[in-house]
Amino acid sequence: MGSNQATVYVVDDELQIRNAIGSLCEETGHQVKLFASTEEFLAQSLDVGPSCLVLDVRFPGTSPTGLELQRTLAQSGVPIPIVFISGYTDVRVSVEAMKRGAVEFLPKPFREQELLDAIRHGLERDRRRLERDDRLRDARQRVEMLTTREREIMLLMAEGLVAKQIAARLNVSEVTVKVHRARMMRKLELRSPIEVVRLIDSMGPEFDARRIGTSQSPFQAGGS
């Protein structure tokens, strides 16, 4: 689905509670999808756009519990924010859920506004994550446009080196460095060394592995 509309997933084995939460969310303008078990939810593909999962803790029969679903999603790399709801008071379970990143743990019965506030918090968290992902994807796409030399210069600029120092490190002329640097800055749509540093930081710690695998310059391999 290509929409960026917020989606609230509700997983609870009690039909009355599912429908009540669904109606409440629809009244606030959210798209809602309801599930009677964790297995039903796992069989569903998540929509594109910000989302939040309202999840009961316990389910009858052999269905995975809410905590088990939380662990499964984390292990699968699905970072959907979770608001737990429960008809049982269990401090250990609530503490574990919060330690694993749950937005909130609400005991039943809860006030409508409490739930809406928790859902809003979860959706805001997911919107920020999606925005970070968009920035990261854009940054990586722009870096992929660079030649090996331009990427080398970008990395040395991020270390704080000026054109003369970069030329000495790469054993090229200062004029050559300036030409490649200007092309690199134009491709990346950057205006200063500080923006270069911010761009590299935005790509996360795994960027080091990527650049070593694609650049292979003498200074990266340990040479001078």
Side-chain angles (χ1 to χ4, degrees), residues 175-194:
V175 172
T176 296
V177 169
K178 289 181 178 179
V179 170
H180 284 291
R181 183 179 64 185
R183 290 174 181 168
M184 178 267 295
M185 296 292 280
R186 187 164 55 250
K187 287 179 181 179
L188 297 181
E189 301 177 4
L190 303 179
R191 292 169 295 182
S192 70
I194 292 177

Side-chain angles (χ1 to χ4, degrees), residues 63-79:
S63 293
T65 67
L67 285 181
E68 289 169 341
L69 176 58
Q70 184 186 34
R71 285 192 289 268
T72 297
L73 293 173
Q75 291 165 359
S76 302
V78 180

Side-chain angles (χ1 to χ4, degrees), residues 76-87:
S76 302
V78 180
I80 183 170
I82 299 176
V83 176
F84 276 101
I85 56 177
S86 177

Side-chain angles (χ1 to χ4, degrees), residues 105-141:
F105 193 102
L106 299 175
K108 300 175 184 176
F110 43 77
R111 297 199 310 271
E112 290 184 353
Q113 192 58 51
E114 284 182 317
L115 179 61
L116 289 174
D117 288 345
I119 290 172
R120 184 175 65 251
H121 183 191
L123 292 173
E124 288 174 353
R125 179 194 293 185
D126 209 40
R127 284 192 185 93
R128 290 194 296 270
R129 177 188 64 81
L130 291 171
E131 289 170 357
R132 287 194 301 270
D133 288 349
D134 285 344
R135 289 195 297 269
L136 174 59
R137 186 162 42 250
D138 177 66
R140 287 178 172 171
Q141 287 174 348

